[in-house]
Amino acid sequence: MHNKFAFGVDYYPEQWDETRWEIDASLMREAGFNTVRLAEFAWAKLEPECGVFDFAWLDRAITVLADHGLEIVLGTPTASPPAWLYAANSEIFRVLPDGRRLTYGHRRGYSPSHPEYLEHTRRIVMAMAQHYANHPAVIGWQIDNEFGDRDYSPAAQTAFQKWLKRKYISLEALNTAWGTVFWSHTYTDWSQIPVPLQTGATHNPSLCLEFARFSSDSYVQYQNLQLEILRQHCPNHFMTHNLMGFGYDQINYYDLANKLDLVTWDNYPRMWWNISEGDEPARAALGHATMRGLKNQAFWVMEQQSGAGGWEYVVPHPKPGEIRLWAMQAIAHGANGIIFFRFRSARHGAEQYWHGLLEHDGTPGRRYQEVKALGAELQELGAKILETRPKADVAFVQSYDSRFAFQIQQNNPNLHYAQFFKRLYSSFHSQNIGMDVVSPTNDLQDYKLVVVPLLHVVTPEIAANLERYVQGGGTLVLSFRSGVKDEHNAVVNAPLPGLLRSLVGAKVIEYDSLYGSTQSQVQLNLPARETQVLPSEIWCDVLEPEGAQVLASYTTGHYAGSAAITRNRVGRGQVILIGTAGEDLEHEVLAWLAEQLELHSQVAAPKGVEMVERRTNDERFLFVLNHTPEPQRIRLPAKGVNYSDQSADDGFMTLEPFGVQVLHQKIAAPENRVAHQAAPLWESQ
C-alpha cells in the first residue's frame, strides 16, 4: 500500500496567497517531509456554487508541492459544508440531545442520515474522485474529518426506525427483547419509536443502546458511501479516516476501521481537555495501542501536535524536545507515518490559537527546527522499522457495547469506563510491559494475559471466545460489573456474572454501590505474597465461590468475610475476577500476575522513562523515551546501535530532558512471544 515511512504535514494552501506556496513547499522539503494532506476543509472553494466545480487552484497547489517531491493525501471536504448548502436547507443540520438544531458557524454539523446531504456528498466526492483518479502525486484519501457526534433529528429518527426494522423484522420481536411492556411502552407501529431525546427523561436502556449502535452505524454507512465512489474511480489509492484515539466514545471504531486500508488518528498529548491530567505518557500510549488494534496493523498519525492548541484558550507550547518525544512515542507504538498539524498557524478563523510549525507570520522558529532535525533522523530509521511491530504479551479488551451501556446507566457517579480502563492499562504501562488493545471477538490465543475491564454487555459469541482463550492456557482478568447485560441491554435472567458465571467459578450474590468518599476494606491473600489490607471504592460485588479460590475478602460492612476477588482454573488456564475497585488493590493484583506470568518489563527504568520494543523475528528496535524534564541515566548491559548519533552504546546512557534513544539489536533465533520472554536488556542506575 505504501512502502515508505510517511513524514509530512497538514497544509491549507487555500488560506494563503498563491505566491507563498513555493516558499512553503521549499520549507517542507527542507524539513524532510514527503507527504502532505490537503483540502479536507476546502468544499466552498472546490464547489463555489451547487454543481459548479473549481479544481484549478488545487491543481496548481499540488503541482508546486509535487515539484518538491511531496506526495498528496486528499481529504474529502464533507466535514465542513459551504454556507450556500446550509442556506438551501437548514434541516441538514444535526439535532442535539436536548432537541435544539445546530446552526451554521462551526464544522461537523451535518446529519449523516439526511437524504439531501447524502446527495451533496455523492456529488462532491464523485467530482474529486474523477478529477484526481490518475494524478501521479495523489497516493490516498482521507474521508471527511473526525467523524462526529450523534444526531437526534427527524431524518435520524426515520433512519433509526428503518434500521430497527431490518434488525428485528417484527415489532413483536423488538417489544419482547426490549421489555416494552414496562411503563406501557409497547409499540404498535415502527413510526412510534422515538430517538432518546433528553426531553423524554430516562429512556428504555434497550432503546438507548440500539440508538448508540445505530448512530455509530450511520457514520460507518456514510463513510462507506464515500469509499464506494473513491474505490470505483481511484483503485490505486489508499483510503483512510482520521480517528480520535481511545478517548472518543461515540462511534464503534472497530466497525469504522473495518473497510479502511489504513487507520490514522489525531494525536494531541496536550490540550485543554486533558491538561489538568498532566501529560501522561500512558494516555497517548493507550491511544496508539487502540488505533493499532483496530486492524492489527501499523497506523499513521494524521494530525500530530506541533504547537500550542486551542480555540478560545491557548495551552502551553511543547517544551524543547517534546515534539520529537511525542512523535517518537507514536512511532514506538506502531506508527509508520507522522503528519504534523499544521504547517503554518492560521491568522483567521476559529483555530487562530491552534499553532502550527510556522508562526502566524510564516517564519520558521524553534518548533520547525525541531521537526526538521527529526526529519533527518527518520531518513534512516523510518525505512528500517516499516516491517516491525510493537511486542505485546498482554491484551486489553475494549467493548464499545459496554462503553455505550455505561453512557446510558453509569451505575455509580464515580464510575467511568474510560477512566477505569486507563487506570488498569497504566498499571502495566508504568512497568513498561507491552500491550495491545483489541475487540471482545479478537483471536486472543497469542497473549499470556488478557484484561477485560467492565465487560457489561456479553453475548454468547464473546463468552465462547473468552472460554476458548482460557481453555487454551490463557490467564483472563475480569472486573466487577461484568456479564450484567445481554445484547439488548437488558439485565440477564440469571445470577451474575451471567454468561461468564461458569468461567469465573463464582456468582454475585449481592452488590453494593459506594458513593462519594465511602470505602470498603479488602484483605488480599495472594499466593507467595504477604497478606495486605487495602481500601476499595465505587463498587463491591459480593462473590460466592462455585469452585473458585478466594484471593481476597471484604473486612468491613455487612458483607465482611465474603469473597471480593477469586481465581478459577479452567482447562489449562485461569480466570481472575476482581469484584471491586481500588487503585492500590488493582496494582497489587496485576503486579502479582506479571510476576507469575513472567511478564518482564523491557527496562527497569526510572519513573517517567518509557520503553517500547518494535520487532520482527530476527531484530528489534528499542525506544527509550524520557517523559521527564530532568536528565535520566540508564545502565545498558547490552550493546546496540544508537540511531540518534550512530554511536555504539555500551555501559551507561544519559537521556536528556524529553530525550529519546533508539537501540537496535539482532535476535539470534526466533522467539515464541507467549512461551518465552527475553531477559531485560538494561536496567536503571
Side-chain angles (χ1 to χ4, degrees):
M1 181 177 60
H2 197 64
N3 58 2
K4 65 182 178 183
F5 189 93
F7 186 62
V9 72
D10 302 309
Y11 186 51
Y12 301 92
E14 68 272 21
Q15 297 179 13
W16 309 107
D17 191 278
E18 195 163 335
T19 59
R20 174 72 194 197
W21 295 353
E22 177 68 32
I23 297 171
D24 288 342
S26 296
L27 287 169
M28 290 177 198
R29 192 58 188 167
E30 187 179 333
F33 293 149
N34 55 36
T35 307
V36 180
R37 184 189 70 177
L38 299 174
E40 81 274 14
F41 293 125
W43 193 343
K45 197 165 177 65
L46 293 168
E47 190 181 9
E49 57 183 285
C50 188
V52 177
F53 300 102
D54 178 10
F55 296 116
W57 68 270
L58 185 54
D59 293 343
R60 294 192 299 273
I62 292 175
T63 296
V64 171
L65 296 166
D67 286 347
H68 287 78
L70 294 155
E71 295 180 321
I72 308 301
V73 176
L74 286 175
T76 63
T78 50
S80 190
W84 60 258
L85 194 161
Y86 276 132
N89 187 355
S90 63
E91 291 188 359
I92 67 169
F93 286 99
R94 278 191 298 113
V95 170
L96 298 173
D98 63 5
R100 292 178 301 142
R101 190 181 293 277
L102 290 173
T103 57
Y104 187 68
H106 198 56
R107 61 175 187 180
R108 234 171 62 184
Y110 62 82
S111 165
S113 301
H114 198 285
E116 184 175 329
Y117 193 71
L118 300 185
E119 287 306 311
H120 286 295
T121 295
R122 289 187 184 95
R123 186 182 62 255
I124 184 64
V125 174
M126 179 75 75
M128 290 186 73
Q130 290 175 337
H131 188 83
Y132 291 106
N134 299 309
H135 198 295
V138 176
I139 60 171
W141 294 81
Q142 174 190 293
I143 295 170
D144 204 269
N145 186 84
E146 297 180 340
F147 280 135
D149 301 332
R150 294 167 188 155
D151 173 31
Y152 296 77
S153 69
Q157 181 174 2
T158 299
F160 179 43
Q161 292 161 351
K162 292 178 179 178
W163 184 90
L164 291 170
K165 189 173 184 179
R166 289 192 298 271
K167 179 170 183 175
Y168 286 93
I169 308 301
S170 73
L171 278 172
E172 181 182 6
L174 182 146
N175 283 321
T176 299
W178 291 11
T180 54
V181 67
F182 184 82
W183 279 352
S184 194
H185 281 182
T186 302
Y187 303 113
T188 58
D189 190 271
W190 294 99
S191 64
Q192 297 166 0
I193 300 175
V195 295
L197 286 164
Q198 291 174 352
T199 49
T202 300
H203 289 267
N204 186 326
S206 298
L207 179 148
C208 293
L209 179 56
E210 292 291 29
F211 183 74
R213 289 168 173 156
F214 156 77
S215 298
S216 178
D217 279 358
S218 67
Y219 284 105
V220 173
Q221 293 307 310
Y222 183 63
Q223 177 177 263
N224 288 346
L225 178 157
Q226 300 196 34
L227 275 175
E228 290 171 8
I229 296 170
L230 291 168
R231 287 218 165 97
Q232 176 186 355
H233 296 281
C234 309
N236 297 319
H237 298 163
F238 69 78
M239 309 294 163
T240 190
H241 171 74
N242 57 328
L243 294 84
M244 291 181 279
F246 176 79
Y248 192 71
D249 62 0
Q250 302 290 291
I251 299 175
N252 185 325
Y253 274 168
Y254 294 110
D255 293 342
L256 192 68
N258 184 44
K259 291 188 178 181
L260 296 175
D261 299 312
L262 171 70
V263 168
T264 64
W265 83 286
D266 298 346
N267 180 33
Y268 292 96
R270 181 178 301 146
M271 294 303 297
W272 69 84
W273 59 77
N274 61 32
I275 194 166
S276 63
E277 304 171 26
D279 300 326
E280 298 180 68
R283 183 178 59 237
L286 176 55
H288 296 311
T290 302
M291 298 296 96
R292 187 179 71 241
L294 297 180
K295 297 181 74 69
N296 193 30
Q297 67 182 34
F299 60 93
W300 287 12
V301 177
M302 191 61 85
E303 295 183 14
Q304 174 62 55
Q305 185 171 0
S306 65
W311 291 331
E312 294 83 8
Y313 306 105
V314 181
V315 300
H317 273 295
K319 302 177 184 67
E322 283 192 308
I323 296 176
R324 173 176 176 258
L325 173 67
W326 294 340
M328 291 293 264
Q329 185 191 28
I331 296 168
H333 284 278
N336 278 358
I338 299 291
I339 312 297
F340 287 97
F341 185 87
R342 51 188 285 160
F343 189 61
R344 180 175 173 181
S345 303
R347 294 184 54 241
H348 304 95
E351 292 184 347
Q352 293 174 1
Y353 296 130
W354 204 300
H355 296 72
L357 292 175
L358 304 190
E359 307 303 335
H360 288 94
D361 62 2
T363 57
R366 172 179 65 85
R367 300 189 303 280
Y368 170 84
Q369 296 300 333
E370 185 172 327
V371 169
K372 179 180 175 181
L374 176 62
E377 186 177 359
L378 291 176
Q379 285 291 317
E380 181 178 0
L381 177 61
K384 292 180 181 293
I385 64 170
L386 283 177
E387 300 304 318
T388 67
R389 65 159 291 137
K391 180 181 183 297
D393 287 324
V394 178
F396 272 69
V397 171
Q398 178 188 199
S399 164
Y400 279 103
D401 274 354
S402 296
R403 200 165 180 177
F404 295 161
F406 279 108
Q407 293 170 4
I408 299 160
Q409 295 169 300
Q410 193 173 338
N411 281 236
N412 182 289
N414 293 323
L415 180 57
H416 305 274
Y417 182 96
Q419 290 179 11
F420 184 72
F421 192 108
K422 178 180 168 293
R423 191 165 82 185
L424 297 186
Y425 179 92
S426 298
S427 182
F428 279 142
H429 181 269
S430 65
Q431 301 175 64
N432 287 311
I433 294 172
M435 293 168 284
D436 287 338
V437 177
V438 300
S439 80
T441 56
N442 206 82
D443 183 0
L444 304 170
Q445 299 308 311
D446 283 346
Y447 299 103
K448 286 186 176 182
L449 174 65
V450 172
V451 182
V452 193
L454 298 172
L455 188 62
H456 207 53
V457 178
V458 178
T459 65
E461 180 187 14
I462 291 171
N465 189 46
L466 296 178
E467 183 166 0
R468 272 194 306 273
Y469 167 70
V470 178
Q471 289 279 3
T475 294
L476 174 69
V477 175
L478 295 167
S479 79
F480 61 99
R481 302 312 281 155
S482 294
V484 176
K485 298 292 192 81
D486 67 13
E487 62 184 299
H488 304 294
N489 206 19
V491 176
V492 297
N493 187 24
L496 301 184
L499 292 176
L500 303 174
R501 178 182 173 186
S502 63
L503 191 59
V504 304
K507 66 180 179 181
V508 179
I509 59 172
E510 188 178 350
Y511 52 74
D512 195 13
S513 181
L514 306 180
Y515 272 57
S517 59
T518 303
Q519 291 184 331
S520 181
Q521 296 289 320
V522 170
Q523 181 172 300
L524 188 61
N525 299 295
L526 298 174
R529 291 210 168 192
E530 292 185 4
T531 298
Q532 298 184 70
V533 176
L534 297 169
S536 67
E537 60 183 7
I538 299 176
W539 198 269
C540 295
D541 275 344
V542 182
L543 306 176
E544 181 178 285
E546 297 177 320
Q549 173 190 5
V550 177
L551 297 182
S553 301
Y554 297 106
T555 64
T556 55
H558 62 276
Y559 35 81
S562 298
I565 301 175
T566 58
R567 173 169 68 171
N568 192 40
R569 301 285 186 181
V570 180
R572 296 190 291 116
Q574 61 180 338
V575 181
I576 312 296
L577 174 59
I578 304 176
T580 187
E583 190 166 4
D584 292 340
L585 181 67
E586 296 147 9
H587 182 78
E588 285 297 317
V589 173
L590 295 180
W592 169 72
L593 283 171
E595 181 181 294
Q596 296 297 307
L597 298 173
E598 297 184 343
L599 300 173
H600 301 297
S601 61
Q602 300 302 315
V603 56
K607 184 178 180 180
V609 174
E610 181 182 14
M611 169 60 191
V612 187
E613 177 181 328
R614 285 185 65 154
R615 62 158 41 183
T616 62
N617 283 336
D618 57 3
E619 64 180 339
R620 53 186 162 196
F621 294 83
L622 305 162
F623 290 73
V624 190
L625 306 109
N626 180 13
H627 292 278
T628 76
E630 294 85 28
Q632 299 291 343
R633 186 167 169 80
I634 310 292
R635 182 162 161 251
L636 301 172
K639 293 184 178 180
V641 175
N642 181 337
Y643 280 107
S644 297
D645 59 13
Q646 291 298 298
S647 64
D649 274 332
D650 194 8
F652 290 94
M653 176 180 72
T654 298
L655 289 172
E656 61 187 11
F658 307 116
V660 179
Q661 298 284 6
V662 184
L663 306 177
H664 174 243
Q665 277 200 334
K666 293 289 185 181
I667 301 173
E671 298 181 24
N672 185 316
R673 64 185 289 192
V674 175
H676 175 70
Q677 182 83 9
L681 294 175
W682 54 72
E683 58 191 34
S684 63
Q685 176 65 24

